[in-house]
């Protein structure tokens, strides 16, 4: 009987303050911004798909993607998770190899929207487009060449996926808002909706440490600068900064203004990152510079621990499954 009463009480608990604010102030507007930037990328590729011409629109769309990447639930899971838009890390070198195969075959159907959607995720998304725009082995293509058509296909696919996410999030947001209500099969209790968003926050912080920093840092004896995220386009530091800014906003809304220690650590971490001049984290191979980059791991570890404790206590939840851990 006690268990039954506890279950009833859980179902009756109202949606925690901070969840609606995170939906309206973070999730929906950032997906709208991503869709807008991706549409602009698609239009730019149609106008001029050569590498130099497309770089500004590419970077603007990548910026917007980093602002939503941590929201690896609902609509993003429906299209295959974050790797559907960013196949990274690519530990086996699939992207370069499969792009090379497509360029060699020059199959017309492969660069149509329908045909390209059937291709491997390794040749879709931002990392494949980075290769086409910034890798000297791919980027020297001429206008109206097959490589140019492939670049257009990648850009169009990114825009189509961004549009799908933007179109599908309002319904997903309504499922979060109505958690525990009759007919809601996604979130059987308000606590489940709160848990899902809290997990997205904490694992987003964790991903910055475990992937964006740990991969290029490697070990002191064996640093791995060419494993940094988007190092060819010099976006490694920028992506980390953009992710932290998005997560800071997300955390503040979820915590409903009740997470001062977490806010302080976001400020400290971002200030330390801003003091570096490491666009591609190439300094991991230089001992003095490496120390400054390594210090970020301590900041991020403390940020994760503090946010998990402070915001978790505020929301009365704990960390759950890491949806970003897809590799």
């Amino acid at each position: 009987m006690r268990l039954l009463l506890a279950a009833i009480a859980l179902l009756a608990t109202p949606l925690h303050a901070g969840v609606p604010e995170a939906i309206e102030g973070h999730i929906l507007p950032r997906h709208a911004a991503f869709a807008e930037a991706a549409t602009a990328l698609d239009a730019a590729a149609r106008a001029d798909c050569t590498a130099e011409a497309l770089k500004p629109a590419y970077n603007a769309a990548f910026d917007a993607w980093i602002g939503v990447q941590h929201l690896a639930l609902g609509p993003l899971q429906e299209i295959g998770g974050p790797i559907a838009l960013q196949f990274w890390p690519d530990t086996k070198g699939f992207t370069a190899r499969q792009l090379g195969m497509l360029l060699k075959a020059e199959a017309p159907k492969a660069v149509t929207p329908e045909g390209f959607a059937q291709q491997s995720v390794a040749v879709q998304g931002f990392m494949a487009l980075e290769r086409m725009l910034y890798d000297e082995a791919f980027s020297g293509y001429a206008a109206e060449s097959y490589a140019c058509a492939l670049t257009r296909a990648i850009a169009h696919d990114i825009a189509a996926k961004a549009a799908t996410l933007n179109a599908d999030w309002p319904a997903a947001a309504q499922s979060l808002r109505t958690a525990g209500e009759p007919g809601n099969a996604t979130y059987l209790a308000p606590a489940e909706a709160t848990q899902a968003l809290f997990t997205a926050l904490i694992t987003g912080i964790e991903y910055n440490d475990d992937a964006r920093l740990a991969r290029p840092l490697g070990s002191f004896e064996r640093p791995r600068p060419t494993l940094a995220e988007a190092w060819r386009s010099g976006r490694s530091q920028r992506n980390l900064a953009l992710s932290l800014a998005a997560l800071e906003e997300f955390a503040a809304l979820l915590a409903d203004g009740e997470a001062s220690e977490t806010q302080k650590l976001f400020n400290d971490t971002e200030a330390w990152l801003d003091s570096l001049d490491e666009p591609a984290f190439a300094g991991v191979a230089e001992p003095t510079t490496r120390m400054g980059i390594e210090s970020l791991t301590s900041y991020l570890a403390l940020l994760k621990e503090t946010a998990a404790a402070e915001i978790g206590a505020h929301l009365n939840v704990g960390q759950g499954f890491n949806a970003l851990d897809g590799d």
Side-chain angles (χ1 to χ4, degrees):
M1 179 60 73
R2 285 182 187 172
L3 289 175
L4 178 60
L5 291 173
I8 293 171
L10 181 63
L11 288 169
T13 303
L15 194 64
H16 203 290
V19 172
E21 289 80 359
I23 292 168
E24 299 301 328
H26 181 78
I27 297 174
L28 296 180
R30 282 185 174 267
H31 278 93
F34 177 38
E36 182 179 358
T39 298
L41 171 63
D42 188 21
R46 288 198 306 272
D48 186 344
C49 55
T50 56
E52 287 305 313
L54 201 51
K55 285 178 180 179
Y58 166 78
N59 282 296
F62 206 161
D63 286 354
W65 158 245
I66 295 299
V68 298
Q69 183 194 33
H70 56 284
L71 297 165
L73 66 155
L76 187 53
Q77 286 302 307
E78 292 297 318
I79 66 168
I83 63 169
L85 281 152
Q86 187 180 356
F87 186 75
W88 184 81
D90 178 11
T91 56
K92 306 289 187 182
F94 287 131
T95 294
R97 187 158 61 251
Q98 293 187 23
L99 282 174
M101 291 168 62
L102 279 175
L103 291 168
K104 183 178 181 180
E106 291 197 0
K109 185 178 178 181
V111 293
T112 65
E114 299 77 17
F116 188 77
Q118 301 304 312
Q119 301 299 315
S120 163
V121 293
V123 298
Q124 297 176 0
F126 287 99
M127 304 316 295
L129 194 49
E130 183 195 42
R131 285 275 190 173
M132 297 302 297
L133 302 185
Y134 289 92
D135 188 337
E136 292 182 358
F138 296 95
S139 63
Y141 56 85
E144 304 312 320
S145 63
Y146 187 84
C148 214
L150 177 57
T151 300
R152 280 194 177 113
I154 299 171
H156 180 77
D157 188 67
I158 289 171
K161 287 172 178 170
T164 295
L165 293 178
N166 190 42
D168 290 352
W169 253 109
Q174 186 62 10
S175 290
L176 288 164
R177 293 189 196 96
T178 61
E181 293 184 9
N184 190 330
T186 305
Y187 302 104
L188 302 181
E192 292 185 7
T194 306
Q195 176 73 64
L197 297 187
F198 174 74
T199 297
L201 169 67
I202 300 303
T203 56
I205 298 171
E206 188 176 65
Y207 183 80
N208 282 324
D209 193 2
D210 293 350
R212 290 193 165 107
L213 282 181
R215 288 185 60 75
L217 278 167
S219 64
F220 186 82
E221 295 77 16
R222 192 182 176 187
R224 305 179 298 179
T226 58
L227 294 189
E229 179 189 32
W231 63 271
R232 290 177 179 83
S233 52
R235 291 190 54 97
S236 308
Q237 181 176 353
R238 180 174 181 80
N239 281 6
L240 179 54
L242 289 167
S243 177
L244 285 172
L247 290 165
E248 178 185 4
E249 177 185 85
F250 190 31
L253 290 166
L254 272 181
D256 204 26
E258 298 294 328
S260 58
E261 289 302 311
T262 300
Q263 181 62 62
K264 180 180 182 302
L265 280 165
F266 267 115
N267 294 342
D268 292 347
T269 305
E270 289 166 329
W272 187 270
L273 177 62
D274 191 52
S275 73
L276 302 176
D277 183 17
E278 286 295 319
F281 288 149
V284 296
E286 199 282 315
T288 303
T289 307
R290 180 185 175 87
M291 290 176 62
I293 299 171
E294 278 185 327
S295 296
L296 282 169
T297 65
S298 298
Y299 277 106
L300 286 170
L302 185 56
L303 173 60
K304 177 190 169 183
E305 179 183 340
T306 302
E310 188 175 37
I311 300 177
H314 175 72
L315 297 174
N316 195 30
V317 294
Q319 187 178 354
F321 171 70
N322 183 352
L324 283 171
D325 189 12
D327 190 275

